[in-house]
Amino acid sequence: MGVVDSPAQSIGVLGAYFVKTQLSEWVPVDIGRQLASQHRHIWVRLSDTSRGDNWQATCRDCLCHCQVIVPGSESEYRCIDQDGHHFHGTFSPTPSNGSCTGLTHCCKCGLRATGVLRVPVLQPELVRSLERARVSPHSHHPTQGMRDLFSTVSTLFKITKNACNGDIRPIKTDSEKPRMLLKFDVPCIRLLEEGLGFELRLGNEYHPPAGVNGRLERARDELGLIAARIQRKLPESERLPGFLLEYENERLGRWLGAHAYERRQQQMGLAILSGSGTAIDDAYRRLGVPEDASDAVVAWAYRRQVEEDPETVGPLAQRRYDCLSTIAAVRTSSGELIALVDSERDRGLVASAAVQAACAALFGDAHLDIGAVDSDMLREVFLARLGETHKTQAKMELAAHLAILACAKCDRRLEDYAAEVKLGIETQVVERVNTWVQLPVGLTNIGNTCYLNCMLQCLFSLVPIREAVLRFGDGSTWNEGCELGRRDSGRMLAEEEVRRALKFVALLRALFESLVNRRAEAWSATLAKESGGYPLAMGSPMFPVVTPDRELADMLLTAPSDGQPTQARAGLQQQDVDECMAQCVSLLGHALPPSADNSSWIEQLLAGHLEIATTGGASQGEPPRRETFVNLSLNLPMDSQSADINECLDRFFEPTEIASDSRIRSSRVVDAPPVLCIQVQRVQFDMEKMMAFKINSHLRVRSQISLTRFTGSGTGDLGVEGLKRRLASVDRRLDTLALPSDGSDVLEALGRVQAFMEGVEKWAHLDAAHELLADLPGADVRGTAETVSTLVGSLASTLSDARGQWAQEREETAEEIDRVYDDVVVDSMAYTLHAVFIHSGMTPEFGHYWIYIRDYHKEHGVRWLKFNDSNVAVVDKDEIFRVGPGGFANPYYLVYARTVDLDSTVGI
């Protein structure tokens, strides 16, 4: 939001734009540095909190608190104009004493409003520290970690709420219930003291701040929102009604009379498909209208600004006209806006920036006087430039530049010619791409986004997602009409969330289209040069690269849990690819049309269900509960350098004892999705050092796995348990061939003893030794050495034979286990490996990601492709299926596809 000198000098905006955009983008400077560049507030409040006379709410993600104050006590403040208020305001992003202020007034009815934006009371680091302390010890059961975190945060919320209501009773740290709920560890104590201002007295009592103050009330609201956020990750049956959220943007719009403007039927979530997402956003911002405003409202806002500044020359008028032209160009069906653009052009207005860009593209001179260029010469230059490029996108851009210059020259014939050329380019049939020869397109790393690139390549390879995203705009696959009604975890999605999700899908479609088109263009270039085979150089047209949109990256790198970027710009640590995948799945789901049962084909594609049963103790007789999973989180053994994916699956589904009360928890698969995602839990938390560490144990992945054995009680039986016991027995026998003192090999030690005895025996044959031994009665050194050497040699031979037999037995047993695991019956629970995310690095904070994706061609068979940012290459399958450890590059995230659905589910 721009800051201006005074309300009289500020650009007027529609009341709806003030509510939906200006307040949503009003971010304090210090907070803004910590957030994604496209952060927008989503104003909410807990459903059981009372409302004051004025409007106030808290941002669900960054926890900033906003209050709008209007003099008077009206239930609604409608404007005298039917289209609503036209606000002019000044909003400062610089906090003073923890708050920013803004003033705005309506130029038509004179309504004045004051805005106050306060920074969060609770520092994000305090909250993250508490989250790590509660969740990390339960890495194998993350839901239990969420329960512990929710217990602590909700308890702090209730304590703070009571203190705000005048309850000054202290919290006793030695009382059983507070200690059980809060634990009073370092993160909790820091939150109590630094965040909430409680004071420790008498060594065991925490007293709330004296008197009710606004800071404590805001801290209460922030704790409530954090608890509501955590509660969304718990099973629906465990959620408390007191932590349900109500979205406040609509209420503010009604209160200010800003909701009555005329809306456009076709939503502008499609607008950014034109390739100018930033330009269209700036255009709406400059005219001060929301994206869903009707053509008539856009025209009204433009004319209103013209009334306030009627000059037809100068930078202000030029920028205003450029914005109108941009919106009219995107809304191709808008006759009213196109007519307004034409009428303004008749007044002598031309989009100067567009003319300069067109002159630079066609003539190489942005400041060329296009009026002095003959139309026939302009056409000849255009045709020459058109013949110099083979890229479809470049041809489309040249045609667009010609249309702009024709408009600038007011040459209708040239405008018609440009339109015909553009239509001809659009209808050209792209030559069929040889997808076996022409490799897929790489993605540019735009700053610590290697794991984002991996996820985007994986999404593109999932056929249902790719085809649905490419259909964005058909009016039926996605919720382009921004109709409300879809729910997430039982709550209704707000309009801002739906719009954000639609924008994400639109950006994703633009990326997917670029991946398809760039591959086709590269193949066309290959044919044009009469060269075949694999690309040899990254810089050649045959090795195309696409750069992801920064806004798309920011939307995926913004964690849904706290609104903070999951990674910032270059130089900061990487985060979990699983968080990025979860954010993507959430956004795709939010963009779907609402339905009576809230069904989602995305969930049907990626989500399965487990049945969790707890037996023994107080749980006896409790019915099993059903949990949804989007991925299975598998732990690696801490005491082994290598593990098998099937062993990790067996361990995941093994019944486990709950240490606190000796109950047994077991799980089974109720149904599994067509695409099965598996997260390898390599990051663990050291509670003593209070830091995360990475397990670099080798994981042997299998090309085929089956979940059939996990659909019944327990882990089922493949006949492999007996083989594992036999293998463990052989390993124990082989381990006995190591000396307990230093772990060295027994056979090597016996060899040294035998060599020593043979040396003694040779020494005993020496004359000097005879003379020496003659003086020692009964000393048969030679005989003794010979006997010991013979015995040691016999023992070594026996042990060597035994080792050979044991090694052979181990090899045969391991091969038999392999045969059992590889003998997968093709049914609805059989899966084929499709993609492997790799993380290379010693620690979880630093490293690099790449992804292997399986590529199948009915004529050529199966091959594996390695996507390493912009580099795409064919690799040997042994890189993926190696048996033994291989350094710090390890599988981190696996994607399997149901074998019977491979053709319809995956493909690149």
Side-chain angles (χ1 to χ4, degrees):
M1 180 185 305
V3 181
V4 294
D5 296 334
S6 69
Q9 295 175 327
S10 66
I11 298 171
V13 299
L14 195 69
Y17 184 83
F18 167 75
V19 171
K20 293 186 175 185
T21 303
Q22 279 196 323
L23 283 182
S24 297
E25 295 180 354
W26 186 22
V27 180
V29 174
D30 294 340
I31 301 298
R33 295 193 186 104
Q34 306 171 30
L35 301 174
S37 60
Q38 297 298 321
H39 175 75
R40 297 183 67 172
H41 299 302
I42 297 177
W43 303 116
V44 298
R45 69 176 188 87
L46 290 180
S47 57
D48 65 345
T49 56
S50 58
R51 295 188 174 102
D53 293 335
N54 294 297
W55 179 89
Q56 56 183 335
T58 304
C59 176
R60 186 195 65 186
D61 296 327
C62 72
L63 301 180
C64 284
H65 180 84
C66 185
Q67 185 176 17
V68 176
I69 304 169
V70 177
S73 57
E74 302 293 330
S75 58
E76 286 190 16
Y77 292 91
R78 288 182 175 271
C79 185
I80 57 175
D81 191 293
Q82 65 177 2
D83 290 307
H85 300 289
H86 200 239
F87 283 124
H88 300 255
T90 303
F91 294 88
S92 171
T94 305
S96 176
N97 296 323
S99 64
C100 308
T101 57
L103 299 172
T104 189
H105 80 287
C106 176
C107 62
K108 291 181 291 184
C109 69
L111 179 72
R112 294 183 176 273
T114 302
V116 180
L117 183 69
R118 296 181 176 88
V119 300
V121 172
L122 302 179
Q123 299 177 17
E125 176 54 33
L126 295 179
V127 179
R128 287 195 290 267
S129 176
L130 181 66
E131 181 176 352
R132 287 194 298 268
R134 296 293 181 271
V135 175
S136 297
H138 300 281
S139 58
H140 187 57
H141 293 290
T143 302
Q144 184 57 44
M146 286 294 115
R147 290 190 183 100
D148 286 357
L149 180 61
F150 179 74
S151 175
T152 298
V153 174
S154 61
T155 301
L156 289 173
F157 167 77
K158 293 173 184 175
I159 292 171
T160 309
K161 182 179 180 181
N162 291 340
C164 290
N165 292 334
D167 188 347
I168 59 172
R169 290 176 297 175
I171 312 167
K172 295 187 177 182
T173 60
D174 52 2
S175 296
E176 181 180 356
K177 189 171 182 180
R179 177 165 292 279
M180 179 183 68
L181 296 172
L182 299 178
K183 303 187 187 308
F184 293 108
D185 51 0
V186 173
C188 178
I189 290 174
R190 287 189 62 199
L191 196 57
L192 269 172
E193 296 178 351
E194 301 175 29
L196 302 179
F198 278 62
E199 181 183 354
L200 180 64
R201 301 176 188 172
L202 304 178
N204 69 337
E205 292 183 354
Y206 274 102
H207 289 256
V212 179
N213 58 76
R215 185 181 186 279
L216 190 63
E217 290 178 339
R218 294 198 304 276
R220 172 202 62 197
D221 294 343
E222 292 171 22
L223 284 171
L225 295 188
I226 295 170
R229 218 154 52 194
I230 300 166
Q231 181 172 254
R232 291 180 58 193
K233 299 183 179 181
L234 297 178
E236 196 163 349
S237 60
E238 299 180 21
R239 297 173 191 168
L240 302 179
F243 294 102
L244 297 179
L245 300 181
E246 292 189 3
Y247 289 80
E248 292 293 287
N249 286 58
E250 288 297 320
R251 190 174 75 86
L252 176 60
R254 290 192 299 271
W255 187 52
L256 292 179
H259 66 292
Y261 68 96
E262 182 182 348
R263 289 169 169 80
R264 188 170 185 242
Q265 293 301 314
Q266 182 180 0
Q267 293 299 318
M268 289 310 297
L270 302 176
I272 60 175
L273 295 179
S274 64
S276 58
T278 301
I280 190 65
D281 286 344
D282 289 344
Y284 285 114
R285 177 175 284 103
R286 179 62 184 76
L287 293 184
V289 291
E291 291 185 10
D292 63 346
S294 68
D295 297 341
V297 172
V298 174
W300 172 86
Y302 177 82
R303 292 190 182 100
R304 182 66 187 175
Q305 289 193 8
V306 170
E307 290 175 10
E308 295 170 355
D309 178 32
E311 295 293 333
T312 58
V313 294
L316 189 62
Q318 193 67 62
R319 286 198 301 270
R320 185 170 59 222
Y321 179 72
D322 286 346
C323 294
L324 178 66
S325 301
T326 300
I327 297 174
V330 171
R331 298 187 177 191
T332 54
S333 61
S334 173
E336 182 175 359
L337 293 184
I338 292 175
L340 181 58
V341 169
D342 291 342
S343 66
E344 290 296 274
R345 185 178 59 206
D346 294 340
R347 295 174 60 219
L349 286 169
V350 180
S352 57
V355 172
Q356 291 176 359
C359 289
L362 291 175
F363 294 93
D365 183 1
H367 301 289
L368 178 71
D369 182 5
I370 193 62
V373 178
D374 181 76
S375 294
D376 291 336
M377 179 181 290
L378 177 56
R379 185 179 304 188
E380 290 178 7
V381 172
F382 165 74
L383 290 174
R385 293 286 182 267
L386 198 65
E388 293 172 357
T389 182
H390 60 272
K391 297 181 178 180
T392 303
Q393 183 63 31
K395 291 180 180 180
M396 293 290 291
E397 291 173 357
L398 287 173
H401 290 315
L402 178 63
I404 290 171
L405 295 183
C407 179
K409 291 177 66 63
C410 298
D411 189 329
R412 295 296 185 186
R413 292 180 60 188
L414 193 58
E415 287 184 46
D416 294 340
Y417 172 74
E420 292 175 4
V421 172
K422 182 175 181 292
L423 180 62
I425 296 172
E426 288 176 337
T427 55
Q428 285 180 345
V429 179
V430 179
E431 295 179 81
R432 182 175 178 83
V433 179
N434 186 330
T435 57
W436 190 257
V437 175
Q438 182 61 57
L439 295 182
V441 179
L443 293 173
T444 306
N445 190 319
I446 56 177
N448 281 350
T449 57
C450 51
Y451 68 100
L452 171 64
N453 289 344
C454 293
M455 194 211 66
L456 291 173
Q457 294 284 14
C458 182
L459 285 177
F460 184 78
S461 71
L462 300 180
V463 174
I465 291 180
R466 180 174 71 234
E467 292 182 347
V469 169
L470 291 175
R471 287 198 303 271
F472 182 74
D474 63 5
S476 59
T477 306
W478 304 94
N479 186 18
E480 288 94 336
C482 201
E483 181 182 353
L484 299 181
R486 176 157 286 280
R487 308 183 73 83
D488 182 359
S489 301
R491 67 175 183 83
M492 186 81 70
L493 292 177
E495 181 180 352
E496 290 83 355
E497 294 177 285
V498 177
R499 290 188 180 282
R500 183 171 184 269
L502 288 171
K503 194 160 193 176
F504 166 73
V505 181
L507 289 168
L508 194 60
R509 174 186 165 177
L511 176 70
F512 282 6
E513 285 183 331
S514 296
L515 292 175
V516 173
N517 293 335
R518 291 287 288 144
R519 193 176 188 184
E521 290 167 1
W523 176 242
S524 298
T526 302
L527 294 180
K529 293 184 177 183
E530 297 182 352
S531 62
Y534 294 114
L536 301 178
M538 289 180 59
S540 72
M542 294 175 293
F543 203 109
V545 176
V546 169
T547 300
D549 188 279
R550 168 56 68 184
E551 185 176 4
L552 174 68
D554 284 340
M555 294 179 83
L556 285 175
L557 302 179
T558 301
S561 59
D562 58 5
Q564 306 296 324
T566 58
Q567 64 93 35
R569 299 295 175 251
L572 298 186
Q573 67 179 29
Q574 303 268 21
Q575 295 290 329
D576 202 327
V577 67
D578 182 53
E579 297 175 358
C580 194
M581 180 68 83
Q583 175 75 326
C584 179
V585 172
S586 175
L587 287 168
L588 291 173
H590 290 180
L592 293 175
S595 60
D597 59 355
N598 209 52
S599 59
S600 163
W601 61 263
I602 297 171
E603 182 175 336
Q604 294 170 3
L605 178 70
L606 299 174
H609 296 90
L610 299 177
E611 183 180 270
I612 312 296
T614 305
T615 59
S619 297
Q620 199 67 32
E622 288 185 5
R625 70 175 187 275
R626 185 184 177 104
E627 287 190 2
T628 301
F629 69 88
V630 177
N631 62 62
L632 296 178
S633 298
L634 304 186
N635 281 336
L636 290 168
M638 302 287 287
D639 56 351
S640 175
Q641 293 299 311
S642 184
D644 190 289
I645 182 66
N646 281 292
E647 295 174 359
C648 294
L649 283 168
D650 290 338
R651 189 175 293 109
F652 179 87
F653 285 99
E654 280 180 353
T656 56
E657 183 177 353
I658 303 174
S660 59
D661 53 10
S662 301
R663 291 180 297 168
I664 303 297
R665 178 183 289 118
S666 60
S667 59
R668 72 177 188 89
V669 177
V670 178
D671 56 74
V675 176
L676 174 67
C677 298
I678 296 177
Q679 183 188 13
V680 183
Q681 291 278 36
R682 292 193 175 274
V683 178
Q684 302 291 339
F685 194 79
D686 189 325
M687 295 301 295
E688 293 184 0
K689 298 180 180 179
M690 293 301 290
M691 62 181 294
F693 66 94
K694 179 189 173 188
I695 302 175
N696 279 300
S697 302
H698 168 65
L699 176 66
R700 182 180 180 184
V701 298
R702 301 276 180 171
S703 61
Q704 305 281 332
I705 63 171
S706 175
L707 299 183
T708 300
R709 65 187 184 278
F710 307 121
T711 57
S713 301
T715 61
D717 184 17
L718 285 176
V720 78
E721 295 303 321
L723 294 175
K724 287 182 181 179
R725 287 192 293 270
R726 185 200 306 172
L727 190 65
S729 174
V730 173
D731 285 339
R732 285 194 297 270
R733 279 178 276 167
L734 289 171
D735 290 343
T736 60
L737 297 180
L739 294 174
S741 56
D742 59 3
S744 60
D745 187 69
V746 169
L747 288 175
E748 293 179 0
L750 289 175
R752 292 192 296 270
V753 172
Q754 186 177 13
F756 176 78
M757 288 295 106
E758 290 174 352
V760 171
E761 184 180 353
K762 292 177 181 179
W763 172 79
H765 281 83
L766 299 177
D767 293 339
H770 277 294
E771 293 178 4
L772 177 63
L773 295 174
D775 296 334
L776 299 175
D780 186 9
V781 175
R782 186 173 62 185
T784 300
E786 182 178 357
T787 301
V788 172
S789 178
T790 302
L791 290 173
V792 170
S794 176
L795 177 59
S797 176
T798 301
L799 291 179
S800 179
D801 291 342
R803 169 181 278 177
Q805 293 174 1
W806 296 341
Q808 182 178 356
E809 183 180 358
R810 191 190 192 289
E811 182 178 355
E812 292 174 351
T813 305
E815 290 177 351
E816 193 170 350
I817 291 176
D818 280 349
R819 284 194 296 272
V820 172
Y821 281 145
D822 292 338
D823 185 19
V824 175
V825 177
V826 179
D827 57 16
S828 61
M829 290 292 173
Y831 288 86
T832 298
L833 185 64
H834 170 62
V836 181
F837 292 73
I838 299 292
H839 177 261
S840 177
M842 294 181 61
T843 68
E845 291 84 6
F846 302 99
H848 181 61
Y849 285 90
W850 65 84
I851 186 174
Y852 298 103
I853 298 181
R854 179 182 182 271
D855 184 23
Y856 171 74
H857 193 282
K858 62 182 179 181
E859 295 180 5
H860 301 284
V862 175
R863 66 178 178 181
W864 284 87
L865 300 179
K866 180 180 181 180
F867 294 79
N868 189 357
D869 287 333
S870 57
N871 191 2
V872 181
V874 180
V875 297
D876 191 282
K877 66 177 182 179
D878 289 343
E879 280 195 30
I880 297 96
F881 298 105
R882 58 185 172 87
V883 176
F888 299 110
N890 313 110
Y892 194 86
Y893 198 85
L894 310 175
V895 179
Y896 281 87
R898 185 180 289 152
T899 303
V900 296
D901 299 327
L902 274 180
D903 292 341
S904 61
T905 305
V906 294
I908 53 176

